[in-house]
Amino acid sequence: LSRRWLRESRKLRDRIEFSLQTSMWVQWISESVWQAGELSTHLRDDDSRYLQQYGPDMFSYIAHPPLLVAVLTSAAMVEEVGAVTVKELDTGIDPNLDETTLEEVIGWVRDEGFAPESVDLNVLDDTLREARNDLSHSMTARGTTVTLDTFETYIEAVQIAVGLGLSLADRLATDVLADLADLSLAPNRDNSGATGVIK
């Protein structure tokens, strides 16, 4: 019984650490989106003297660093948390965690019904994946990937990624807590129903 509790407690520790890692990703994403949002606000404000010499077309160029961090982190978070979730929760899917793609992980999460109803996986599959590919594969693409006009759509995709990542990490922790709750604190009983017999 002690060995079983130790085994489950180690699993719980690993999953709590994974949840904390997910929370760190969310902090990076939130900070990066905030920075890009500040640039967006100043570029849209005709009365602002900040970045006044730049026009709206410069948004993708100026905001490229925080946009790159937010989109790559969002995609990586969904890919890793999703792959670990389908692997850990006995779905029959056993992905090589070093060889997954965002598209296939989103497909697994969709097929297993792991995404909350509030999460639109189509937005992740389209907007996030396309932005990730454009931003990461070509530095010269930064002028056309996320513009002031498409920034809100991009923010929606990032927020959906954050919601999905946190939901999946929570599911992993809840799953192991349920396993702990099912562990008996009393010794096993023999078939006759007599108590006090330790097997």
Side-chain angles (χ1 to χ4, degrees), residues 18 77-87 105 108-109 114 168:
F18 194 69
M77 179 187 62
V78 168
E79 191 173 327
E80 185 162 344
V81 178
V84 169
T85 300
V86 297
K87 185 172 186 145
V105 170
W108 294 332
V109 169
F114 286 161
L168 293 175

Side-chain angles (χ1 to χ4, degrees), residues 13-102:
R13 182 199 61 204
D14 291 343
R15 291 192 181 178
I16 293 300
E17 286 178 356
F18 194 69
S19 294
L20 292 173
Q21 179 182 345
T22 303
S23 296
M24 291 297 292
W25 281 330
V26 170
Q27 288 183 9
W28 277 103
I29 294 165
S30 299
E31 176 64 23
S32 299
V33 167
W34 179 83
Q35 290 176 8
E38 285 291 292
L39 290 169
S40 169
T41 299
H42 287 298
L43 285 171
R44 288 181 188 273
D45 186 0
D46 293 334
D47 297 327
S48 174
R49 294 185 180 183
Y50 184 63
L51 300 178
Q52 193 175 30
Q53 67 270 31
Y54 302 111
D57 294 339
M58 290 296 288
F59 174 73
S60 293
Y61 184 85
I62 297 170
H64 186 262
L67 291 174
L68 184 64
V69 170
V71 77
L72 292 182
T73 306
S74 297
M77 179 187 62
V78 168
E79 191 173 327
E80 185 162 344
V81 178
V84 169
T85 300
V86 297
K87 185 172 186 145
E88 290 284 318
L89 296 186
D90 298 325
T91 60
I93 302 169
D94 188 22
N96 178 348
L97 299 179
D98 295 325
E99 298 293 331
T100 59
T101 66
L102 182 60

Side-chain angles (χ1 to χ4, degrees), residues 160-180:
I160 289 171
V162 167
L164 179 60
L166 290 173
S167 172
L168 293 175
D170 181 63
R171 180 184 282 263
L172 286 171
T174 301
D175 173 69
V176 75
L177 287 171
D179 288 345
L180 283 172

